[in-house]
Amino acid sequence: MRAFSYERAKTPADAAKAVAGTQGAKFIAGGTNLLDLMKLEVETPTHLVDVQDIGLDKVEKTDDGGLRIGALVSNTALAAHERVRRDYGVLTRAIVSGASGQLRNKATTGGNLLQRTRCPYFYDTNMACNKRQPGSGCAAIDGFSRPLGVIGTSDACIATYPGDMAVALRVLDATVETVKPDGSTRSIAIGDFHRLPGDKPQQDNVLERGELITYVTLPKPLGGRHVYHKVRDRASYAFALVSVAAVVQKDGSARFAFGGLAPRPWRVDAAEAALGSGVQAAAAKALEGARPTEQNKFKLTLAERTLAAVLVEGGR
């Protein structure tokens, strides 16, 4: 790990200013992803701004019956929150399917959203990776690609977004609130938050330099039955090969999003509209334009079967 300087911010605005004002600075809260990458020298920040003292650790009701989740609420606390378990069950189920209990105790809501989209070649500094070192190439494309992306990828990167929480947030139409270094704020729909790689895979999301996540807001509850199913190579502590988050209503309509297939949570409105023609048609619409490798083309069939199982579990 390379040397770095460190400070603790007292307010969100101060934290944003501190990161914006120092070249190579980064925020740190739980540190469950960043510290791992620093030890491997994949991430080499010159300065860390600790945001653990800035508040943002509460879950509160909104005026329209939704929830406003502070960016520093731990994954464990969020998954166990009474309102989340009762009204947003897909979110609880997604969170507890990820990482380990110890990691969920430290990981924060904001940090979870900022997980680097990554693959094994991203961690290996001896291998080419456009995400880690832009312009160096992508060793994964002609390498071991079984767990990697089948849709939304590019010639520069085929990594998948690894998180579970964000897949559920995508189904729930969450909004990400931020503060910028100049003190201004903005709200970003979760569907617009994570970027596709294109020719700039080093940029995982739309945040600007120094912009800090402050809250994640959920609209009023959707009702329906909430299901999250994750298919992976081992029973715990593994990223999804395919996951599906869904909210199924009594009339048979459903919202659903996939994880493990793309560089961001993958939800397609036209696929939900196609459910009336059957699961096969809906899955085909969701995966339209897929470009799997020979090693991971099985994910297309796996995605359809997982979606079918989830909808049955949801009572459709």
Side-chain angles (χ1 to χ4, degrees):
M1 182 184 290
R2 297 187 189 179
F4 57 90
S5 53
Y6 172 88
E7 68 175 284
R8 293 181 80 99
K10 297 300 182 186
T11 69
D14 287 347
K17 284 181 184 177
V19 167
T22 305
Q23 188 66 36
K26 285 186 175 291
F27 301 111
I28 186 167
T32 55
N33 188 205
L34 178 59
L35 289 178
D36 276 351
L37 297 176
M38 289 173 64
K39 291 172 185 174
L40 296 169
E41 297 193 357
V42 172
E43 294 277 7
T44 56
T46 59
H47 184 67
L48 290 182
V49 178
D50 193 328
V51 297
Q52 294 183 85
D53 295 337
I54 63 173
L56 307 180
D57 57 353
K58 301 287 191 302
V59 180
E60 301 167 318
K61 284 180 60 175
T62 62
D63 292 341
D64 65 355
L67 284 183
R68 196 179 195 212
I69 304 160
L72 294 178
V73 174
S74 74
N75 287 180
T76 295
L78 182 58
H81 191 276
E82 179 185 358
R83 278 284 315 275
V84 176
R85 293 181 63 183
R86 187 184 71 204
D87 296 331
Y88 305 95
V90 66
L91 181 55
T92 289
R93 292 176 174 88
I95 291 172
V96 299
S97 74
S100 64
Q102 293 91 339
L103 286 171
R104 293 194 295 271
N105 288 341
K106 289 298 295 180
T108 63
T109 301
N112 194 318
L113 285 175
L114 296 176
Q115 290 188 72
R116 297 300 310 269
T117 298
R118 57 196 189 269
C119 79
Y121 297 96
F122 177 69
Y123 285 100
D124 188 344
T125 55
N126 293 310
M127 305 298 290
C129 175
N130 287 317
K131 178 176 285 292
R132 175 170 29 81
Q133 186 175 357
S136 63
C138 176
I141 289 177
D142 293 320
F144 177 66
S145 59
R146 179 177 179 276
L148 303 183
V150 297
I151 194 165
T153 57
S154 73
D155 291 339
C157 183
I158 60 172
T160 52
Y161 179 78
D164 297 286
M165 184 188 81
V167 182
L169 292 178
R170 183 70 181 89
V171 163
L172 295 171
D173 278 339
T175 300
V176 181
E177 299 181 41
T178 70
V179 61
K180 295 184 180 182
D182 63 3
S184 62
T185 61
R186 69 167 169 161
S187 298
I188 307 166
I190 188 70
D192 297 328
F193 184 79
H194 294 102
R195 288 171 45 93
L196 294 180
D199 59 358
K200 294 181 179 178
Q202 70 273 21
Q203 298 178 4
D204 291 327
N205 55 63
V206 298
L207 294 183
E208 299 171 7
R209 181 179 167 186
E211 189 171 9
L212 175 69
I213 296 175
T214 50
Y215 298 94
V216 174
T217 303
L218 301 177
K220 64 182 181 181
L222 297 167
R225 297 185 69 171
H226 292 217
V227 183
Y228 187 79
H229 191 75
K230 182 176 181 179
V231 181
R232 45 190 162 178
D233 279 331
R234 59 173 184 254
S236 67
Y237 201 53
F239 295 143
L241 291 171
V242 173
S243 67
V244 177
V247 177
V248 184
Q249 303 293 345
K250 289 182 179 178
D251 63 3
S253 63
R255 299 176 174 206
F256 61 89
F258 291 101
L261 300 178
R264 66 184 183 192
W266 197 256
R267 182 180 175 195
V268 177
D269 291 345
E272 294 172 2
L275 263 181
S277 300
V279 173
Q280 188 175 26
K285 183 60 71 174
L287 298 171
E288 203 168 70
R291 31 180 277 166
T293 68
E294 188 64 28
Q295 293 178 24
N296 67 17
K297 62 183 181 183
F298 74 94
K299 284 191 171 189
L300 303 182
T301 303
L302 184 60
E304 180 186 325
R305 291 176 178 174
T306 306
L307 176 61
V310 163
L311 294 174
V312 169
E313 186 176 344
R316 189 175 188 275

